[in-house]
C-alpha cells in the first residue's frame, strides 16, 4: 500500500523467504515416442529403442531399427516445499538431440532424481503439449512457437517427500531476504516491525540478509504457522535501490527510484559500416578454351554521425532522470551504452546490473 507522502509499503512476506521452505529441482533423461518422423536421427534413436526393447525382453537386431519417431529429452520438475508422495505436478521436457518437433509425442515413464542421481523423488509420463506446430513440405515450411520443448500438465507424480521445516531445532525462524531486496535498511526495518508486535523476538543478522525470529517456548507447535503468518503480513517501507537493470539482448532498461545524475556533457554518434556484394560472372567466348569464372566485387561504406556535445543537467528524481535521457533521443540499446559510460565516469549514481 501507500503511506503518507506517497511512500510505498509492502508485506514482509513479499521480500523474504522462510529458510527450509525452498523449492527443489528434480531432473531426468527420458524418451519421447510417437513423433511421426520428426524425432532424432537414426544413429541416436537406434540405441535408444534397442535399450527400451531390452527392458521388456524383446530382442531385435539393432541394424533393423530405423526409427524417426523417438527423441531423447531432458525432463525437469519443481517440487514445492511440503509436497507429499502421490501428489501431481507439472513437468517440462526439452530435446537433447536433433529432433525437429515434439508435437504429438508421448513421454515414456521417466524417473526424476536429485542432482546426485541417487534418489528418485518423482516420475513422469504422458502426452506432451508443445504450444505450437510445425509443418514442412519439399519446398517450404511453417512453424509457430517453439516445438522442441513442451510441458506435461500434471504429468508428474511425487514418489518421495522432501523434508521441510519452518522452525529450526533450536526454536528459531530464519527469514532470508530475497535476492533483489537484501539491504541493511530492509533487514533492520523488518526486525523492528516484528519487535513492535512481539517484543524482543527478532534480531537482524550482521550479513544484511537474515532476520532471526525466536519462537516463544509457550507457543504450541500447532500455532507455529499462525505465528509465522502474522509476521509475514506485517508491512514495512522498503529501501529505494539506486539500481539500473539492463538487458542488451532485448533493449530493456529498468530504473529504481534512487537513481541520480550529476551534471555532465555527452556526445554520442553511431558508426555504420555497410558491405555490399555484387559478384560478376566472366563468360569467355566460344572456342576460346576459357573457363567461366565469378569475380567478387565488394563495396564498403563507412558512415559516422557527427553530433556535438549535449549538456545534461543534474537529475535528483527518477522523473528528472527519465526526462534527461529522453532528450538524447537514442534507442534503448544506445541508451544502455551511455548509461554504462556514465557509471564508469561516476556521473550516474547507481549500480548497473545486467540481465
Amino acid at each position: 500500500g501507500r503511506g503518507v507522502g506517497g511512500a510505498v509499503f509492502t508485506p514482509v512476506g513479499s521480500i523474504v523467504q522462510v529458510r527450509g521452505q525452498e523449492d527443489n529441482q528434480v531432473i531426468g533423461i527420458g524418451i519421447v515416442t510417437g513423433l511421426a518422423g520428426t524425432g532424432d536421427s537414426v544413429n541416436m534413436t537406434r540405441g535408444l529403442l534397442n535399450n527400451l526393447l531390452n527392458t521388456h525382453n524383446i530382442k531385435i537386431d539393432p541394424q533393423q531399427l530405423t526409427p524417426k519417431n523417438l527423441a531423447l529429452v531432458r525432463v525437469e520438475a519443481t517440487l514445492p516445499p511440503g509436497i507429499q508422495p502421490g501428489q501431481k505436478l507439472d513437468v517440462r521436457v526439452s530435446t537433447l538431440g536433433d529432433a525437429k518437433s515434439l508435437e504429438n509425442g508421448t513421454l515414456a515413464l521417466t524417473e526424476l532424481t536429485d542432482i546426485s542421481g541417487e534418489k528418485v523423488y518423482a516420475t513422469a509420463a504422458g502426452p506432451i503439449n508443445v504450444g505450437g506446430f510445425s509443418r514442412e513440405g519439399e519446398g517450404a515450411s511453417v512453424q509457430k512457437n517453439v516445438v522442441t520443448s513442451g510441458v506435461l500438465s500434471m504429468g508428474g507424480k511425487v514418489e518421495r517427500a522432501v523434508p521441510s521445516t519452518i522452525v529450526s531445532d533450536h526454536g528459531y525462524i530464519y527469514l532470508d531476504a530475497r535476492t533483489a531486496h537484501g539491504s541493511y535498511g530492509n533487514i533492520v526495518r523488518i526486525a523492528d516491525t516484528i519487535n513492535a508486535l512481539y517484543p524482543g523476538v527478532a534480531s537482524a543478522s550482521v550479513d544484511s540478509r537474515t532476520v532471526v525470529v525466536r519462537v516463544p517456548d509457550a507457543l504450541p507447535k500447532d500455532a507455529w504457522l499462525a505465528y509465522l503468518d502474522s509476521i509475514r503480513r506485517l508491512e514495512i517501507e522498503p529501501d529505494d535501490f539506486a539500481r539500473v537493470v539492463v538487458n542488451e539482448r532485448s533493449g530493456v532498461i529498468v530504473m529504481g527510484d534512487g537513481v541520480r545524475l550529476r551534471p555532465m556533457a555527452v556526445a554520442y554518434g553511431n558508426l555504420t559500416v555497410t558491405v555490399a556484394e555484387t559478384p560478376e560472372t566472366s563468360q569467355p567466348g566460344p572456342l576460346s578454351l576459357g573457363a567461366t569464372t565469378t569475380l567478387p566485387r565488394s563495396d564498403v561504406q563507412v558512415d559516422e554521425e557527427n553530433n556535438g556535445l549535449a549538456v545534461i543537467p543534474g537529475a535528483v528524481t527518477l522523473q528528472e532522470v527519465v526526462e534527461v535521457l529522453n532528450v538524447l533521443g537514442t534507442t534503448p540499446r544506445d541508451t544502455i551504452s551511455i548509461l554504462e559510460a556514465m557509471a564508469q565516469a561516476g556521473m550516474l549514481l547507481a549500480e548497473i546490473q545486467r540481465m
Side-chain angles (χ1 to χ4, degrees):
R2 288 188 177 273
V4 179
V8 176
F9 285 81
T10 185
V12 169
S14 66
I15 61 177
V16 300
Q17 59 186 16
V18 181
R19 189 179 301 178
Q21 294 288 294
E22 301 86 4
D23 291 336
N24 292 276
Q25 303 293 324
V26 288
I27 58 175
I29 303 297
I31 299 175
V32 173
T33 61
L35 294 181
T38 63
D40 290 331
S41 58
V42 173
N43 290 335
M44 176 175 290
T45 55
R46 179 180 287 135
L48 293 175
L49 184 55
N50 187 44
N51 293 339
L52 182 62
L53 294 176
N54 285 338
T55 61
H56 296 277
N57 296 321
I58 299 175
K59 305 296 182 181
I60 297 178
D61 183 1
Q63 297 303 319
Q64 297 179 356
L65 303 176
T66 58
K68 281 284 291 181
N69 300 335
L70 303 181
L72 183 67
V73 294
R74 176 182 174 90
V75 188
E76 300 174 314
T78 300
L79 297 180
I83 195 168
Q84 297 299 315
Q87 292 185 266
K88 300 293 185 178
L89 69 163
D90 293 336
V91 176
R92 304 175 299 275
V93 298
S94 55
T95 57
L96 291 176
D98 56 358
K100 295 181 180 180
S101 174
L102 295 179
E103 187 180 0
N104 299 322
T106 300
L107 178 68
L109 184 64
T110 304
E111 295 180 342
L112 305 181
T113 68
D114 58 8
I115 194 171
S116 68
E118 296 178 354
K119 294 182 178 180
V120 176
Y121 283 91
T123 55
I128 300 171
N129 178 15
V130 298
F133 64 86
S134 177
R135 298 292 182 269
E136 183 174 335
E138 294 183 0
S141 62
V142 61
Q143 177 175 320
K144 179 182 179 181
N145 296 336
V146 177
V147 292
T148 53
S149 62
V151 297
L152 285 76
S153 180
M154 295 295 146
K157 187 181 74 169
V158 179
E159 304 291 347
R160 184 195 303 263
V162 179
S164 63
T165 182
I166 61 173
V167 180
S168 70
D169 295 338
H170 302 289
Y172 290 94
I173 297 174
Y174 294 90
L175 304 178
D176 297 323
R178 301 183 191 276
T179 302
H181 300 285
S183 70
Y184 298 110
N186 284 346
I187 294 301
V188 170
R189 289 190 190 95
I190 292 173
D192 291 344
T193 303
I194 295 173
N195 286 328
L197 180 62
Y198 303 115
V201 301
S203 60
S205 66
V206 296
D207 60 3
S208 79
R209 289 287 178 180
T210 304
V211 176
V212 182
V213 182
R214 179 175 52 84
V215 178
D217 296 335
L219 189 68
K221 189 173 182 180
D222 57 3
W224 285 358
L225 284 179
Y227 178 65
L228 174 60
D229 182 63
S230 65
I231 291 174
R232 295 179 75 255
R233 289 176 180 270
L234 297 174
E235 292 192 346
I236 69 164
E237 182 183 356
D239 283 340
D240 289 332
F241 291 104
R243 183 178 297 160
V244 179
V245 180
V246 299
N247 187 330
E248 292 180 343
R249 298 184 300 276
S250 59
V252 172
I253 303 172
V254 179
M255 290 188 179
D257 193 34
V259 176
R260 303 290 184 264
L261 287 177
R262 288 177 175 172
M264 72 193 85
V266 174
Y268 188 85
N270 288 318
L271 179 66
T272 304
V273 179
T274 304
V275 180
E277 298 286 352
T278 55
E280 297 180 358
T281 301
S282 174
Q283 179 66 47
L287 305 179
S288 64
L289 301 181
T292 302
T293 59
T294 300
L295 304 177
R297 292 289 186 270
S298 300
D299 183 18
V300 180
Q301 295 183 356
V302 179
D303 297 321
E304 183 176 7
E305 291 183 2
N306 186 17
N307 297 328
L309 284 167
V311 177
I312 296 179
V316 296
T317 66
L318 180 60
Q319 181 63 34
E320 291 179 358
V321 172
V322 172
E323 292 174 355
V324 165
L325 294 176
N326 284 338
V327 169
L328 295 177
T330 55
T331 64
R333 287 182 177 83
D334 291 342
T335 303
I336 291 174
S337 299
I338 294 174
L339 289 171
E340 292 177 339
M342 288 178 176
Q344 292 176 359
M347 299 293 104
L348 174 66
L349 304 180
E351 173 193 5
I352 290 188
Q353 294 184 352
R354 294 173 177 267
M355 291 177 63

